[in-house]
């Protein structure tokens, strides 16, 4: 649809676009991203013929840009500008009618019935017909944007160029606008080129993304390829991190602020324990990966609650009950990782490990009455399930990658099984060695400070420490339990 | 259906406005001819005009001196007032639209200063160009105004190639101040021509006669045509200059046409009547309040309104403390400013409350 070959452009003495070559395909949404001053707006202006080129060539539908007359070009390309302010009180309808300008013929440029029809349709599609006779300066930013969109549509363009269309719009308008554009790409066979500041909007909505840097195309391709942490970090010169969108296959980019100088050590984590509650509280949030009832998955939390419940505790909506329970005790459920156990908290095993590059604090509570051999668990019937839980808390002072989190979970689980075998805990149903219990939970919490740790498998120092620590903590918990039972 | 009725309403409102303005204008003209040091009955005015224009037989009770007062003095005078009102209102509307600046008026770009300087030079040196005799002043004035425009535009181009609005306004103000200083210099140096120069600068349409009417008419026609054929472009450009480009308006071409047209109107108005302020600034505002921003209607409607206004002000100028005549340029501002202030306040209030 549009192709540019070695385009150069600039302003007096300053080169802005440097040998830019690109091609934009029909019926797609193409996003142009790049830091301030990378030439996005100039590129846009060159493409719609409002800024001169100093060399190079732009082809629109296979025809050279300079072979189009101004009106001809306006029948192919419409532009949605950033602002819609005017010194005068134009009505909405008058503004939309401006979009028909390239179609008027003759000296008097009279409007035909068809022009009128197109204007009405454009106003309907953008939902501005309700205030057709209102003054544009009296509308809100979002409404003005829709009026300008109606004007662009009235041009019946094949290509729509947008310069930061979501600027000044609140989130709901941004999404509505982009959804609308997506729809038109299909229904009107529109080709959309948009300068976007918000990388995540670009990632979510664009079919193709062109990344500009210092007047050159740094990269172009599909969002999955362009939303690359290292690439963007380099171009934007900022700390960024890439994540997956929870519900669509579009990567998200989140900026990472410069960390404050606060010292983040696990020494500052405090443990308070009673019969009912075992609480680890940290003065700063830790990044966690857990299977806990409250705050499962990846989270940030600074309170970690292991709650003792009666072994007859049975509530349908345990999740909400636990939230209420936390709130009554002044814990913020959004900042808390919460587990439950019927095991006695005073039996908990706690292990602390100091290494050169990291520190660990591991705590475990173990009720083994319902121990299960995972490999044989399929033999069990549903009614065999009784309460009995091993909860493991691992606090790490290091900077973990996501991979390290997952490997820490694996390592801890393997060490748990090993501890159960060592203490000869049997599956009461199958009479084989138990590997865990049926409702175990595990939480890895990292300060994300200090040394970088890529992996936490048993080949690494961290993995080795986790394995040893978990094994010891569970051992202590089982021994404490057995000691207490023996005393009874 | 609802939409249709609104469209119909606004169309009929337009027809009504044109009809009302034409009637007002005719009434103002007849009134302006009738009232004066020798009062002539309204009916006689109509009869004489009928006889002169449509060759109806003239009733016997009207003597030939009345006819000659009307045809030689009053009629050309009110016509000139009307045409100057037309020209200034048109030029003001066009400049405000083009420059996207509600504060602009026909004098913003310094064209009037150029015209004035030309006229003042003629008066100061008592020039008489061969061949055009008494027409020396208006001709020199128009030429000077045109040269000023060329100067302003070339200067603006020199600063910035794409003729941006800000640059044009700045260049205009610069030229205006410079030429204004030259005029002041000539005034300071002048002796007995002083009264004549000041009188001319304050603006007047008296004692000009038919030659001046026929002098401004072709410029008015040309200017009107140029502006009307660029009315849609003017809409686009007054909305947003960059936007106008993107919908296919040849901004450079139409900027030039509008500048040229509006300057012709201003220059010719200044040449025949001196500097008459206020009309070009305020009439377009009143026009926009009543009829909106669409220049296809706003230009002719404002033009008619400007004509009515100036005929009536001229009438007032020569009757209010007769036999002394007040300079029309002074009166336009004295009457117009408070009137506009009231209209403006009411309009704003209405807008705020709705």
């Amino acid at each position: 649809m549009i192709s540019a070959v070695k385009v150069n452009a600039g302003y007096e003495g300053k080169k802005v676009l440097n040998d830019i070559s690109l091609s934009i395909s029909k019926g797609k949404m193409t996003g142009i991203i790049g830091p301030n001053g990378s030439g996005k707006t100039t590129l846009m202006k060159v493409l719609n013929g409002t800024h001169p080129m100093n060399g190079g060539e732009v082809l629109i539908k296979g025809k050279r840009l300079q072979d189009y007359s101004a009106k001809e070009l306006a029948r192919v390309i419409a532009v949605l500008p950033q602002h819609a302010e005017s010194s005068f009180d134009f009505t909405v309808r008058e503004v939309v009618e401006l979009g028909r300008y390239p179609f008027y013929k003759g000296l008097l440029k009279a409007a035909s019935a068809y022009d009128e029809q197109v204007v009405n349709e454009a106003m309907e599609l953008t939902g501005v017909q309700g205030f057709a006779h209102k003054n544009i300066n009296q509308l809100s930013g979002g409404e003005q944007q829709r009026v300008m969109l109606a004007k662009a549509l009235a041009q019946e363009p094949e290509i729509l160029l947008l310069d930061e269309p979501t600027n000044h719009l609140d989130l709901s308008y941004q999404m509505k606008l982009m959804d609308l554009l997506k729809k038109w790409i299909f229904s009107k066979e529109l080709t959309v080129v948009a300068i976007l500041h918000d990388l995540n909007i670009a990632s979510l909505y664009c079919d193709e993304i062109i990344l500009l840097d210092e007047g050159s195309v740094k990269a172009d391709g599909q969002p999955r390829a362009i939303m690359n942490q290292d690439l963007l970090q380099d171009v934007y010169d900022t700390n960024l991190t890439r994540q997956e969108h929870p519900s669509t296959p579009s990567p998200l980019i989140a900026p990472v602020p410069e960390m404050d100088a606060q010292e983040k050590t696990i020494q500052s984590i405090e443990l308070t324990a009673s019969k009912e509650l075992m609480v680890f509280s940290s003065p700063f949030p830790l990044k966690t990966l857990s299977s806990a009832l409250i705050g499962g998955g990846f989270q940030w939390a600074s309170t970690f609650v292991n709650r003792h419940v009666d072994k007859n505790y049975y509530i349908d909506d345990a999740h909400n009950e636990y939230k209420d329970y936390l709130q009554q005790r002044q814990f913020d459920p959004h900042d808390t990782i919460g587990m439950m156990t019927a095991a006695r908290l005073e039996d908990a095993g706690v292990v602390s490990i100091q290494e050169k590059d990291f520190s660990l604090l591991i705590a475990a509570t173990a009720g083994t009455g319902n121990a299960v051999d995972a490999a044989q668990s399929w033999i069990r019937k549903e009614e065999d399930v009784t309460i009995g839980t091993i909860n493991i808390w691992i606090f790490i002072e290091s900077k973990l990658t996501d991979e390290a989190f997952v490997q820490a979970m694996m390592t801890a689980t393997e060490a748990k099984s090993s501890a159960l075998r060592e203490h000869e805990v049997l599956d009461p149903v199958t009479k084989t060695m138990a590997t865990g219990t049926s409702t175990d939970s595990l939480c890895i919490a990292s300060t994300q400070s200090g040394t970088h740790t890529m992996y936490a498998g048993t080949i690494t120092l961290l993995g080795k420490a986790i394995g040893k620590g978990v094994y010891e903590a569970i051992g202590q918990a089982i021994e404490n339990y057995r000691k207490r039972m023996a005393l009874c | 259906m609802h939409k249709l009725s609104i469209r119909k309403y606004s169309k009929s409102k337009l027809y009504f406005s044109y009809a009302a303005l034409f009637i007002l204008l005719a009434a103002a003209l007849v009134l302006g001819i009738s009232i004066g040091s020798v009062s002539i009955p309204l009916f006689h005015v109509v009869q004489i005009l009928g006889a002169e224009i449509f060759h109806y037989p003239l009733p016997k009770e009207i003597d030939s001196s009345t006819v000659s007062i009307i045809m030689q003095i009053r009629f050309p005078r009110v016509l000139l007032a009307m045409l100057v009102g037309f020209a200034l209102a048109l030029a003001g509307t066009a400049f405000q639209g083009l420059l996207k600046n509600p504060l602009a008026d026909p004098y913003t770009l310094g064209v009037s200063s150029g015209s004035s300087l030309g006229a003042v030079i003629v008066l100061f040196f008592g020039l008489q160009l061969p061949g055009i005799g008494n027409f020396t002043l208006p001709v020199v004035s128009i030429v000077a105004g045109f040269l000023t425009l060329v100067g302003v535009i070339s200067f603006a181009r020199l600063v910035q190639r794409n003729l941006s609005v800000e640059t044009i306004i700045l260049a205009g103000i610069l030229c205006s101040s410079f030429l204004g200083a030259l005029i002041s210099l000539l005034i300071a140096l002048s002796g007995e021509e002083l009264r004549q120069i000041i009188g001319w600068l304050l603006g007047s349409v008296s004692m000009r006669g038919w030659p001046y009417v026929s002098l401004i008419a072709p410029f008015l026609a040309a200017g009107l045509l140029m502006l009307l054929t660029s009315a849609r472009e003017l809409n686009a450009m007054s909305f947003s200059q960059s936007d106008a480009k993107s919908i296919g308006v040849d901004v450079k071409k139409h900027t030039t046409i509008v500048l040229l047209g509006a300057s012709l109107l201003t220059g010719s108005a200044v040449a025949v009547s001196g500097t008459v302020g206020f009309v070009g600034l305020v009439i377009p505002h009143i026009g926009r309040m009543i009829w909106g921003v669409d220049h296809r209607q706003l230009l002719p409607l404002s033009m008619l309104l400007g004509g009515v206004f100036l005929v009536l002000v001229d009438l007032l100028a020569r009757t209010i403390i007769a036999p002394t005549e007040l300079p029309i340029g002074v009166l336009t501002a004295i009457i117009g400013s408070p009137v506009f202030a009231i209209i403006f306040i009411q309009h704003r209030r209405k807008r705020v409350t709705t």
Side-chain angles (χ1 to χ4, degrees):
Chain A
M1 205 64 180
I2 302 178
S3 66
V5 184
K6 294 202 164 194
V7 167
N8 286 279
Y11 302 88
E12 269 118 71
K14 196 174 155 249
K15 219 170 175 189
V16 179
L17 299 184
N18 219 331
D19 274 345
I20 285 210
S21 298
L22 52 86
S23 92
I24 287 162
S25 31
K26 188 180 159 83
K28 290 269 168 67
M29 180 172 304
T30 303
I32 300 180
I33 61 171
N36 289 339
S38 57
K40 300 185 298 279
T41 302
T42 309
L43 175 63
M44 196 70 110
K45 284 182 177 168
V46 166
L47 294 184
N48 76 356
T50 53
H51 191 86
M53 277 179 275
N54 311 328
E57 196 165 68
V58 172
L59 297 174
I60 311 276
K61 292 172 70 188
K63 185 169 154 184
R64 293 197 320 161
L65 186 64
Q66 52 274 46
D67 295 340
Y68 280 91
S69 76
K71 281 190 174 189
E72 260 180 317
L73 194 63
R75 288 193 286 253
V76 179
I77 300 183
V79 178
L80 183 73
Q82 277 193 46
H83 300 285
E85 288 152 35
S86 170
S87 319
F88 300 116
D89 295 342
F90 279 90
T91 67
V92 168
R93 196 185 170 86
E94 282 167 344
V95 173
V96 180
E97 277 172 351
L98 288 176
R100 293 306 293 167
Y101 177 80
F103 299 90
Y104 296 137
K105 292 194 179 77
L107 195 62
L108 285 176
K109 297 151 195 135
S112 68
Y114 179 70
D115 290 325
E116 192 123 326
Q117 187 195 328
V118 173
V119 166
N120 286 334
E121 274 172 15
M123 291 203 295
E124 236 159 79
L125 274 173
T126 49
V128 299
Q129 75 274 53
F131 29 87
H133 295 274
K134 258 196 171 177
N135 167 356
I136 184 146
N137 291 327
Q138 288 175 319
L139 303 181
S140 73
E143 288 167 337
Q144 287 186 352
Q145 184 91 345
R146 270 148 67 201
V147 173
M148 297 312 284
L149 199 59
K151 193 196 76 154
L153 277 188
Q155 276 175 254
E156 299 185 295
E158 293 169 57
I159 300 167
L160 185 58
L161 301 184
L162 307 104
D163 190 353
E164 290 179 35
T166 56
N167 227 2
H168 313 296
L169 295 185
D170 67 30
L171 197 60
S172 118
Y173 270 126
Q174 291 189 14
M175 307 294 285
K176 275 183 201 154
L177 175 68
M178 297 307 283
D179 285 331
L180 208 56
L181 290 173
K182 265 294 208 226
K183 218 169 81 190
W184 289 337
I185 285 179
F186 290 109
S187 63
K188 297 178 174 296
E189 291 179 14
L190 205 60
T191 301
V192 175
V193 184
I195 294 181
L196 294 168
H197 249 313
D198 189 325
L199 298 179
N200 292 326
I201 291 267
S203 168
L204 275 171
Y205 286 98
C206 293
D207 303 303
E208 302 273 338
I209 292 180
I210 296 170
L211 172 63
L212 290 189
D213 187 28
E214 291 174 354
S216 310
V217 176
K218 181 88 174 180
D220 61 352
Q222 295 186 345
R224 295 201 71 80
I226 304 300
M227 292 292 124
N228 173 308
Q229 184 170 331
D230 295 333
L231 180 66
L232 293 176
Q233 211 152 255
D234 176 37
V235 169
Y236 282 90
D237 197 20
T238 335
N239 273 331
L240 296 171
T241 165
R242 169 180 160 143
Q243 276 190 319
E244 293 305 313
H245 191 285
S247 57
T248 72
S250 311
L252 297 177
I253 293 291
V256 183
E258 296 273 334
M259 281 302 163
D260 48 339
Q262 185 192 8
E263 211 178 312
K264 292 179 175 172
T265 63
I266 54 172
Q267 269 77 35
S268 49
I269 296 174
E270 280 182 35
L271 169 62
T272 49
S274 67
K275 268 184 178 295
E276 198 189 328
L277 280 177
M278 182 179 184
V279 179
F280 299 89
S281 42
S282 158
F284 52 87
L286 281 80
K287 186 176 181 182
T288 66
L289 175 62
S290 78
S291 59
L293 183 58
I294 298 291
F298 272 112
Q299 281 284 338
W300 288 82
S302 50
T303 311
F304 302 83
V305 177
N306 198 12
R307 172 189 172 196
H308 171 75
V309 293
D310 187 78
K311 57 177 182 282
N312 297 319
Y313 174 93
Y314 186 80
I315 285 173
D316 269 343
D317 192 355
H319 186 76
N320 271 325
E321 188 274 334
Y322 203 155
K323 266 191 176 171
D324 292 342
Y325 175 89
L326 288 172
Q327 262 159 352
Q328 279 162 22
R329 279 153 190 79
Q330 316 296 325
F331 295 120
D332 177 1
H334 297 294
D335 190 37
T336 301
I337 306 296
M339 294 184 199
M340 278 189 197
T341 179
R344 301 282 283 267
L345 298 180
E346 56 264 41
D347 294 343
V350 180
V351 173
S352 168
I353 297 173
Q354 295 277 345
E355 287 284 342
K356 193 169 131 279
D357 287 337
F358 56 86
S359 310
L360 283 178
L361 174 64
I362 296 171
T365 53
T368 54
N370 190 34
V372 176
D373 178 358
Q376 309 291 332
S377 61
W378 58 274
I379 294 172
R380 293 185 161 228
K381 295 186 199 78
E382 214 173 316
E383 56 264 32
D384 292 336
V385 176
T386 52
I387 300 295
T389 295
I390 300 173
N391 286 348
I392 304 170
W393 305 84
I394 303 172
F395 299 93
I396 304 169
E397 184 182 319
S398 183
K399 215 182 261 173
L400 302 193
T401 60
D402 286 1
E403 300 89 302
F405 269 96
V406 175
Q407 286 174 333
M409 291 207 103
M410 290 159 55
T411 306
T413 308
E414 288 161 12
K416 175 182 74 180
S417 302
S418 174
L420 293 182
R421 192 176 59 233
E422 184 64 27
H423 290 85
E424 294 178 339
V425 177
L426 290 182
D427 181 330
V429 177
T430 62
K431 308 295 178 203
T432 50
M433 285 289 178
T435 55
T437 79
S438 56
T439 49
D440 286 356
S441 216
L442 174 56
C443 170
I444 313 285
S446 161
T447 59
Q448 295 301 85
S449 59
T451 335
H452 220 88
T453 304
M454 288 286 285
Y455 303 106
T458 43
I459 194 170
T460 64
L461 284 175
L462 180 61
K464 286 171 183 163
I466 289 174
K468 181 164 174 277
V470 169
Y471 177 83
E472 283 174 8
I474 290 178
Q476 279 177 26
I478 292 174
E479 275 161 26
N480 288 344
Y481 170 73
R482 285 181 176 166
K483 253 183 235 160
R484 195 165 47 76
M485 292 314 281
L487 284 177
C488 287
Chain B
M1 282 317 281
H2 179 66
K3 241 181 278 169
L4 202 69
S5 68
I6 290 173
R7 308 265 321 148
K8 256 190 191 151
Y9 164 74
S10 59
K11 270 225 168 99
S12 62
K13 182 183 165 189
L14 271 183
Y15 293 140
F16 173 78
S17 301
Y18 277 109
L21 279 174
F22 274 115
I23 293 168
L24 266 177
L25 190 60
L29 286 175
V30 171
L31 214 61
I33 294 169
S34 155
I35 299 170
S37 49
V38 180
S39 188
I40 302 165
L42 287 176
F43 189 57
H44 286 187
V45 173
V46 177
Q47 281 178 320
I48 293 168
L49 289 182
E52 290 291 325
I53 301 170
F54 302 108
H55 303 291
Y56 288 124
L58 194 65
K60 289 182 186 64
E61 69 266 25
I62 299 173
D63 61 36
S64 60
S65 71
T66 313
V67 174
S68 69
I69 287 178
I70 287 185
M71 293 316 295
Q72 298 313 311
I73 301 171
R74 296 234 186 118
F75 194 34
R77 176 177 184 144
V78 293
L79 270 188
L80 191 65
M82 179 187 85
L83 295 181
V84 169
F86 280 3
L88 292 177
L90 273 177
T93 310
F95 275 128
Q96 286 179 9
L98 178 72
L99 303 180
K100 291 195 300 173
N101 191 337
L103 294 177
D105 76 353
Y107 306 144
T108 307
L109 288 196
V111 174
S112 68
S113 304
S115 295
S116 298
L117 182 64
V120 169
I121 287 173
V122 171
L123 294 172
F124 186 83
F125 294 107
L127 288 182
Q128 282 270 13
L129 292 183
I132 47 174
N134 287 334
F135 274 121
T136 305
L137 187 138
V139 170
V140 169
S141 182
I142 287 182
V143 171
F146 188 74
L147 289 179
T148 310
L149 175 73
V150 173
V152 168
I153 292 185
S154 350
F155 177 65
R157 279 235 167 116
L158 205 69
V159 178
Q160 202 182 15
R161 265 187 310 165
N162 59 356
L163 273 188
S164 84
V165 167
E166 292 77 12
T167 318
I168 294 176
I169 292 181
L170 216 63
I173 290 175
L174 201 66
C175 281
S176 221
S177 315
F178 178 69
L179 296 172
L182 289 184
I183 293 173
S184 301
L185 182 70
L186 287 183
I187 291 173
L189 295 175
S190 65
E192 41 192 271
E193 313 88 2
L194 179 69
R195 210 184 152 70
Q196 213 188 344
I197 291 176
I198 295 290
W200 189 87
L201 283 177
L202 293 179
S204 167
V205 285
S206 74
M207 305 313 287
R208 302 288 206 257
W210 289 109
Y212 277 69
V213 174
S214 49
L215 185 76
I216 188 176
F219 288 104
L220 179 68
L224 177 63
L225 200 70
M226 289 165 86
L227 295 186
L228 280 185
T229 51
S230 290
R232 272 201 197 273
E233 289 79 3
L234 207 48
N235 283 348
M237 291 190 289
S238 62
F239 184 69
S240 147
Q241 205 92 5
S242 60
D243 211 52
K245 256 186 209 168
S246 76
I247 58 169
V249 174
D250 188 338
V251 172
K252 223 178 201 172
K253 177 177 139 196
H254 287 283
T255 300
T256 313
I257 292 179
V258 172
L259 277 181
L260 211 64
S263 299
L264 278 184
L265 291 165
T266 310
S268 59
V270 171
V272 298
S273 65
T275 46
V276 178
F278 190 79
V279 183
L281 175 64
V282 171
I283 293 295
H285 274 272
I286 298 176
R288 267 194 300 271
M289 282 178 196
I290 308 175
W291 300 295
V293 202
D294 185 351
H295 286 87
R296 287 176 300 155
Q297 309 303 338
L298 184 62
L299 283 167
L301 287 167
S302 294
M303 175 185 91
L304 294 173
L305 191 64
V308 172
F309 179 74
L310 210 61
V311 170
L312 292 179
V313 171
D314 175 52
L315 176 60
L316 215 58
R318 59 194 153 89
T319 52
I320 195 163
I321 50 165
T324 312
E325 259 187 41
L326 289 175
I328 190 170
V330 175
L331 210 57
T332 46
I334 288 180
I335 301 170
S337 306
V339 170
F340 179 68
I342 293 166
I343 293 174
F344 192 57
I345 289 168
Q346 281 182 341
H347 183 73
R348 283 277 148 184
R349 282 213 182 125
K350 220 170 79 192
R351 259 186 62 169
V352 171
T353 51
T354 48

